[in-house]
Amino acid sequence: MLNIFESITKRLVDAWRLDEPSGRRSSFSCSCGRPVFFNNSLCLGCNAPLGYEPELQQVRSLTPGPEQGTWKLDGTQDDGKTWKRCENFESPAGCNWLVQADEEETLCRSCRLNNIIPILDDADNKLWWRKIENAKRRLVAQLLNLGLPVVSKVSEDPERGFMFDFLRSPPEGPRVLTGHANGLITLNVEEADDSIRERIRHNMREPYRTLLGHFRHEVGHYYWDRLVADTPWLEKFRELFGDERQDYSEALKRNYEQGPPPNWADQHISSYASVHPWEDWAETWAHYLHVVDSLDTALRFGLRGEEVEQAIEPFTVDDLYDPNAPDAQRVILLTNSWVQLTTVLNELARSMGQHDFYPFVMSRPVLRKMHFIQMIVKEERRGISLIG
């Protein structure tokens, strides 16, 4: 099966510039032929139960299996496999993911990453947790699609896995801070309240703040520990992002007191990325995931880009971290297609009086960093060293 990056670039080559009607394909479909979507657990057309199978990376309609509470996937070869719903299907999280019926584990690949969840006797917590889990499932699905290690620190690998604490600040304080430490990602559940999150975004002068963005950023810190620290990539990371051994607390203090350097946009994807090399990595990692997943979604729905005027001069392979990399042309194809796509989407958002869909400018130094990340992801997926 093609990984998500290879799948996107293949479809770019095959379909991005073909003269065919937009919207010819949809992301997922029920056995009745109607379109269904990532979080759906029921087809609204024929009332078929639906479930997401993370190995196939697809939402499928289900038929009852041989035992009560088990299911078989429609549209697949009958290999004898049966499935059960994640234990959180009936919870406020409303998880639609599936687990193989013969597994002892009752939680899906996403839900088993939870260490602490909100107290569910509070109505706000129930609503917020559902929004949080919807965002987290998108994160986990993408990580699996990229071939990255996704292992629970709670139940599978206490040393090298990762997990989530979803906490709410007590009325008397202190405020829960979203962050990462040694595989533990903490999220303040109040970030799931749109009004609270928008107020924080405004106060911190951020162009973009979402639950999914938080997850992609914080998991970037985890993967730095896992894929860069104490590996041959570390020195190359320092050459590109800077020396992470500089005092992190002092860097944060300087940022909050003095703000970002005036020329931060020349080298960084966001002002926060200029704080410290760790934050530069995490911000760039998050944007790498934004680009890959958004373009993949656009292609799944048959969107095309051949008539979109470039907002900037197109990138070339010489703008990459390694212009001689085997996938250099594909990376440039993906990146320039992303620029085409966001040009239109930003104009669409403006026409509705909304903030830009993608309120960032990708400079050439940022593209080099993103290609560096792509090379690390590729090495992890294939298990073959790409550097000497």
Side-chain angles (χ1 to χ4, degrees):
M1 178 179 295
L2 294 176
N3 66 76
I4 190 171
F5 178 78
E6 291 166 343
S7 175
I8 292 171
T9 52
K10 181 179 185 300
R11 276 179 282 143
L12 277 170
V13 172
D14 292 346
W16 187 246
R17 297 183 180 276
L18 288 182
D19 186 17
E20 57 187 29
S22 179
R24 187 177 62 84
R25 299 174 299 276
S26 63
S27 184
F28 307 110
S29 60
C30 177
S31 57
C32 72
R34 293 178 174 88
V36 294
F37 302 94
F38 181 72
N39 285 323
N40 288 164
S41 57
L42 184 72
C43 174
L44 298 181
C46 69
N47 292 322
L50 305 171
Y52 181 81
E53 204 286 277
E55 296 300 324
L56 290 176
Q57 304 159 17
Q58 293 179 356
V59 175
R60 288 292 184 89
S61 53
L62 308 173
T63 54
E67 299 180 11
Q68 185 175 2
T70 67
W71 302 91
K72 297 184 74 67
L73 303 181
D74 289 340
T76 57
Q77 184 177 1
D78 188 2
D79 53 7
K81 287 185 180 179
T82 57
W83 304 86
K84 59 188 176 185
R85 289 198 178 276
C86 174
E87 184 178 339
N88 277 332
F89 175 69
E90 298 288 352
S91 77
C95 181
N96 69 335
W97 282 32
L98 301 172
V99 183
Q100 286 198 32
D102 57 2
E103 283 190 45
E104 291 185 10
E105 178 65 69
T106 59
L107 294 173
C108 71
R109 296 288 300 276
S110 178
C111 289
R112 70 186 66 169
L113 299 171
N114 293 344
N115 185 50
I116 298 176
I117 64 172
I119 298 172
L120 297 180
D121 58 3
D122 181 280
D124 286 338
N125 285 352
K126 289 180 181 180
L127 176 63
W128 293 345
W129 187 40
R130 189 179 189 92
K131 292 182 177 180
I132 288 167
E133 290 296 334
N134 284 342
K136 179 164 70 71
R137 285 193 290 272
R138 288 192 177 273
L139 169 78
V140 175
Q142 184 181 18
L143 298 177
L144 292 172
N145 291 353
L146 284 169
L148 290 166
V150 178
V151 183
S152 172
K153 192 176 181 70
V154 179
S155 59
E156 295 172 324
D157 189 342
E159 296 298 320
R160 304 193 70 198
F162 66 102
M163 62 186 180
F164 295 89
D165 281 356
F166 301 134
L167 306 176
R168 185 172 181 178
S169 303
E172 66 278 5
R175 183 174 178 271
V176 171
L177 298 179
T178 295
H180 166 267
N182 192 31
L184 171 62
I185 295 171
T186 301
L187 179 75
N188 185 332
V189 299
E190 293 176 352
E191 288 280 349
D193 185 298
D194 294 339
S195 62
I196 293 175
R197 191 178 62 256
E198 177 62 17
R199 184 175 70 248
I200 296 172
R201 188 195 68 79
H202 177 76
N203 291 341
M204 298 187 71
R205 299 179 180 178
E206 297 174 335
Y208 170 91
R209 190 180 183 95
T210 66
L211 289 172
L212 186 54
H214 280 316
F215 281 137
R216 285 174 171 163
H217 175 100
E218 299 304 339
V219 85
H221 287 299
Y222 163 75
Y223 282 112
W224 189 91
D225 290 344
R226 181 79 184 259
L227 305 180
V228 179
D230 302 320
T231 75
W233 288 106
L234 182 57
E235 287 304 318
K236 293 183 178 295
F237 165 85
R238 289 171 179 165
E239 293 171 2
L240 190 59
F241 289 84
D243 193 335
E244 84 290 350
R245 292 170 293 187
Q246 63 180 277
D247 191 294
Y248 182 75
S249 297
E250 283 299 317
L252 284 178
K253 181 173 181 289
R254 182 171 59 252
N255 178 70
Y256 290 131
E257 291 178 353
Q258 303 175 16
N263 62 340
W264 64 263
D266 294 340
Q267 300 291 326
H268 305 283
I269 191 63
S270 68
S271 60
Y272 189 61
S274 68
V275 170
H276 187 276
W278 278 337
E279 298 304 339
D280 194 8
W281 163 273
E283 285 286 271
T284 308
W285 175 278
H287 281 262
Y288 170 76
L289 298 186
H290 292 336
V291 170
V292 171
D293 201 25
S294 297
L295 188 54
D296 179 53
T297 300
L299 288 167
R300 285 181 181 274
F301 281 90
L303 297 183
R304 299 175 296 134
E306 73 277 7
E307 296 179 355
V308 179
E309 294 183 0
Q310 288 281 4
I312 61 171
E313 180 183 352
F315 293 111
T316 70
V317 292
D318 292 332
D319 299 317
L320 297 177
Y321 178 76
D322 181 2
N324 298 314
D327 64 351
Q329 291 290 347
R330 295 194 298 172
V331 172
I332 289 301
L333 178 62
L334 185 150
T335 305
N336 286 332
S337 297
W338 168 254
V339 173
Q340 291 176 310
L341 177 65
T342 53
T343 298
V344 174
L345 293 178
N346 283 345
E347 286 299 320
L348 284 172
R350 294 164 191 164
S351 72
M352 289 294 294
Q354 298 292 326
H355 299 297
D356 281 1
F357 170 83
Y358 187 71
F360 303 94
V361 176
M362 188 186 301
S363 66
R364 281 167 170 77
V366 168
L367 176 58
R368 293 186 74 238
K369 294 173 184 178
M370 291 181 65
H371 188 220
F372 181 81
I373 288 174
Q374 161 63 18
M375 292 176 66
I376 292 177
V377 170
K378 186 175 180 180
E379 177 180 284
E380 174 63 24
R381 182 173 65 246
R382 297 186 176 180
I384 301 173
S385 179
L386 299 181
I387 58 177

